[in-house]
Amino acid sequence: MPVQRQNANDQSSTNSFLQQIFESRTKNEIDENDLLILLNDTELSRSFDRHSKFTIDHCKLLIAAVVHSKSTLNLPEFVSVINLLYTWRNFFRRHDLDRNGIIEPYALVNILNSLRFNLSPSTLETIVKRYSTRADDNSSGKISFEHYVQLCARLTLLNDLMQQKSTNDSPRNVCSFSIDEFMQLALSL
């Protein structure tokens, strides 16, 4: 996935800010509860959409998207999580023109394509149905920032795990899972 380009000074000040936040904690690692507090109740929360609140499920997904085999983050992993969130936030904001924390389905499709998630039209249709909310049966669905973050974290995790499972000698876009591996993957989402 492409990383948002920043100049060296912006990146350095961002990393310094994140290091200060990390070091202000009494622990050497951040778990989902710590991440929840940091994202909702600290200066870091001002970086994200004012209409949204992160949940414990968001935090678990964000951690899993960066570190697949453990449930805590060290400083570099924490920085990676926040940088992913910043990237996703920036794409979302480009399409949330009225700044209400909601985007149209076509905007979601454009964002996912920009993030280089190569998804089929039928998969995109399934995603829009799953992650959109409708005021009534006559309105088209809209996607909130919270649902968007969940989706991006899940797609990142799935994409990474699928790439790990595919082999050089398998046909393109094909990977093999045992039933147990598939169940573990599905349950981790």
Side-chain angles (χ1 to χ4, degrees):
M1 180 177 353
V3 176
Q4 191 73 7
R5 288 197 179 125
Q6 297 179 355
N7 69 39
N9 290 336
D10 288 347
Q11 187 64 43
S12 176
S13 68
T14 298
N15 287 345
S16 176
F17 170 67
L18 295 175
Q19 184 173 355
Q20 286 176 337
I21 289 172
F22 185 89
E23 290 173 351
S24 72
R25 312 292 299 157
T26 58
K27 299 186 262 180
N28 290 333
E29 293 186 309
I30 291 177
D31 65 15
E32 67 268 7
N33 293 308
D34 298 322
L35 188 58
L36 181 66
I37 291 166
L38 291 172
L39 291 175
N40 286 332
D41 300 325
T42 68
E43 191 174 335
L44 184 60
S45 67
R46 292 187 214 138
S47 301
F48 302 103
D49 184 55
R50 70 179 189 278
H51 300 286
S52 62
K53 277 287 201 189
F54 291 94
T55 67
I56 199 74
D57 288 333
H58 285 109
C59 295
K60 288 178 180 179
L61 281 169
L62 289 166
I63 291 170
V66 172
V67 290
H68 311 300
S69 59
K70 61 181 198 162
S71 60
T72 59
L73 302 168
N74 60 30
L75 176 59
E77 294 161 344
F78 171 67
V79 170
S80 292
V81 165
I82 301 305
N83 284 334
L84 266 178
L85 278 171
Y86 285 161
T87 298
W88 297 339
R89 176 208 58 197
N90 292 341
F91 276 100
F92 190 90
R93 283 184 176 171
R94 284 187 211 138
H95 294 275
D96 182 14
L97 301 178
D98 58 3
R99 299 288 186 249
N100 66 352
I102 297 170
I103 57 172
E104 298 288 334
Y106 73 86
L108 176 66
V109 170
N110 290 339
I111 292 170
L112 295 177
N113 288 331
S114 296
L115 289 170
R116 301 193 194 284
F117 289 116
N118 298 319
L119 304 169
S120 69
S122 61
T123 299
L124 289 168
E125 185 178 329
T126 300
I127 286 170
V128 167
K129 285 179 184 175
R130 164 66 176 85
Y131 289 93
S132 65
T133 55
R134 296 183 176 173
D136 56 51
D137 291 335
N138 296 326
S139 67
S140 65
K142 312 259 184 187
I143 293 87
S144 69
F145 183 72
E146 293 95 337
H147 287 146
Y148 165 78
V149 167
Q150 285 178 330
L151 172 62
C152 287
R154 284 185 173 122
L155 287 174
T156 299
L157 176 59
L158 281 171
N159 190 50
D160 290 350
L161 293 175
M162 294 295 181
Q163 286 184 8
Q164 287 175 10
K165 293 299 289 179
S166 65
T167 61
N168 291 337
D169 59 342
S170 68
R172 188 184 144 118
N173 297 325
V174 175
C175 50
S176 177
F177 290 95
S178 69
I179 292 173
D180 186 55
E181 288 172 324
F182 175 76
M183 295 298 279
Q184 287 179 35
L185 174 61
L187 292 171
S188 71
L189 298 173

